[in-house]
Amino acid sequence: MSKFSSAILCVLLTFSLSAFAKETSPLVGAWRMVKLEVLVDGKLQSIPYTGQLIVTDAGTLSAQAMDANPKAAPTPFTANGYEALYGKISIDDSLNQFEVEIQSSLVRDLIGKKMQRKFEVTAEGMILSPLDEKEGWRVTYDRY
């Protein structure tokens, strides 16, 4: 093998290894909702909810959640007690925050909006909450 061929091989290997060395956010993955808490009389209280959150390495987020109460009133995020949305996600791991730009949603008024959230990933799971604590909710997830 010539020196030129060896040099090209080294360059190609360097680029290949750097592509594999890309760090993935700890937020990336599939998450199962285990607890939803909402602010009631100044305290977070659990309410029966189920759902999942999926964050891809390609920069997308999709979320689904359902209120156990079949007669649940609509909210800004739900219709008939159900929430479903999808969008582009931008993650800032240094701040433990992300922003999702909603591209599709069961509640069509959310389409085009940007939502900012904070997250904490631990060995036990992940906690997701709004940047503005006055919104009054917190969700706990386990990784699938």
Side-chain angles (χ1 to χ4, degrees):
M1 181 179 277
S2 72
K3 288 182 182 180
F4 180 73
S5 296
S6 296
I8 294 213
L9 182 60
C10 286
V11 169
L12 289 174
L13 283 173
T14 301
F15 283 118
S16 298
L17 290 175
S18 65
F20 288 115
K22 178 183 171 195
E23 285 192 39
T24 298
S25 170
L27 187 61
V28 170
W31 301 91
R32 179 180 61 87
M33 182 186 293
V34 293
K35 182 170 39 171
L36 171 64
E37 299 167 284
V38 297
L39 204 56
V40 177
D41 297 326
K43 294 184 180 180
L44 286 173
Q45 295 183 0
S46 291
I47 60 171
Y49 241 78
T50 59
Q52 72 175 12
L53 181 76
I54 298 173
V55 179
T56 70
D57 217 7
T60 63
L61 174 145
S62 70
Q64 296 185 52
M66 185 182 77
D67 191 320
N69 178 0
K71 296 180 182 179
T75 72
F77 301 100
T78 64
N80 298 318
Y82 197 80
E83 175 181 357
L85 59 85
Y86 165 85
K88 278 180 60 172
I89 187 172
S90 175
I91 304 169
D92 186 335
D93 287 317
S94 66
L95 295 175
N96 287 338
Q97 296 179 5
F98 68 85
E99 180 177 87
V100 61
E101 182 178 350
I102 309 301
Q103 294 175 325
S104 70
S105 176
L106 179 63
V107 176
R108 293 183 181 260
D109 288 346
L110 293 175
I111 296 171
K113 299 215 181 225
K114 294 180 180 181
M115 295 189 301
Q116 296 177 324
R117 303 293 184 236
K118 60 184 176 178
F119 65 92
E120 178 185 351
V121 177
T122 66
E124 293 79 37
M126 188 253 298
I127 297 173
L128 182 67
S129 57
L131 290 183
D132 183 358
E133 292 183 13
K134 292 177 198 165
E135 287 186 48
W137 58 268
R138 176 174 59 196
V139 185
T140 304
Y141 292 92
D142 282 344
R143 194 179 290 276
Y144 275 113

